[in-house]
């Protein structure tokens, strides 16, 4: 059986398009929900900023190259006084293993406590903050 050159072109272009396709946002949201992120520790640095250590656990197979989380600041009475959104690169994470990441945050307002919120099932107003859902060119 002989394949015409035009058929080869269709096969090659079709394969390239299938490989370069951006994952469906709902599939990425499913992957996000399978992650666990916990705040291990945090410390005020001498320069006035905050260094927070996050432990990231994720699935063996994932379509995500980054994971965006919200770090929430709490005041003396337990009230929420602010938050910071951070995007964690997952590329260097060995697939399926737990890793710790250190993020540096601005020092103001200085919190009494920190918390982390993955927003595993994000509300519509949160979706625009999730860098993993944005095209690579706009990150």
């Amino acid at each position: 059986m002989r394949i015409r050159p035009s058929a080869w072109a269709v096969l090659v272009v079709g394969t390239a398009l299938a490989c370069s396709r951006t994952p469906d946002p709902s599939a990425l949201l499913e992957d996000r929900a399978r992650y666990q992120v916990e705040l291990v520790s945090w410390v005020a640095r001498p320069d006035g900023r905050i260094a927070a250590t996050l432990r990231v656990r994720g699935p063996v197979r994932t379509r995500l190259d980054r994971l965006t989380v919200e770090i929430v600041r709490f005041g003396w009475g337990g009230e929420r006084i602010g938050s910071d959104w951070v995007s964690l690169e997952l590329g260097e994470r060995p697939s399926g293993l737990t890793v710790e990441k250190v993020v540096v945050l601005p020092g103001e307002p200085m919190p009494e406590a920190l918390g982390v919120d993955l927003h595993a099932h994000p509300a519509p107003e949160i979706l625009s903050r999730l860098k993993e859902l944005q095209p690579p060119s706009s990150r």
Side-chain angles (χ1 to χ4, degrees):
M1 177 170 114
R2 251 182 85 162
I3 299 178
R4 296 187 320 243
S6 59
W8 277 110
V10 169
L11 178 65
V12 170
V13 169
T15 303
L17 288 174
C19 293
S20 67
R21 197 175 302 154
T22 303
D24 172 25
S26 62
L28 294 175
L29 287 171
E30 286 176 23
D31 277 6
R32 282 188 98 259
R34 295 171 53 205
Y35 274 86
Q36 297 174 352
V37 181
E38 66 182 284
L39 179 69
V40 177
S41 64
W42 66 277
V43 64
R45 297 180 0 165
D47 64 3
R49 297 189 302 169
I50 298 169
T53 303
L54 304 174
R55 183 171 293 139
V56 180
R57 290 186 197 99
V60 173
R61 291 187 182 91
T62 183
R63 292 164 276 227
L64 297 175
D65 61 349
R66 69 187 62 242
L67 185 67
T68 306
V69 299
E70 181 182 21
I71 299 178
V72 183
R73 297 167 187 250
F74 297 99
W76 290 100
E79 75 279 3
R80 183 181 172 130
I81 60 172
S83 70
D84 300 283
W85 289 86
V86 295
S87 184
L88 307 169
E89 295 287 332
L90 299 176
E92 63 265 7
R93 183 185 68 85
S95 191
L97 295 179
T98 299
V99 296
E100 290 189 356
K101 302 265 186 181
V102 176
V103 295
V104 179
L105 308 168
E108 293 298 323
M110 187 55 75
E112 171 63 19
L114 290 178
V116 64
D117 191 344
L118 172 63
H119 294 280
H121 303 285
E125 62 271 11
I126 300 293
L127 294 175
S128 65
R129 294 187 173 267
L130 305 179
K131 295 206 182 292
E132 56 270 26
L133 298 182
Q134 299 171 4
S137 60
S138 65
R139 293 182 188 166

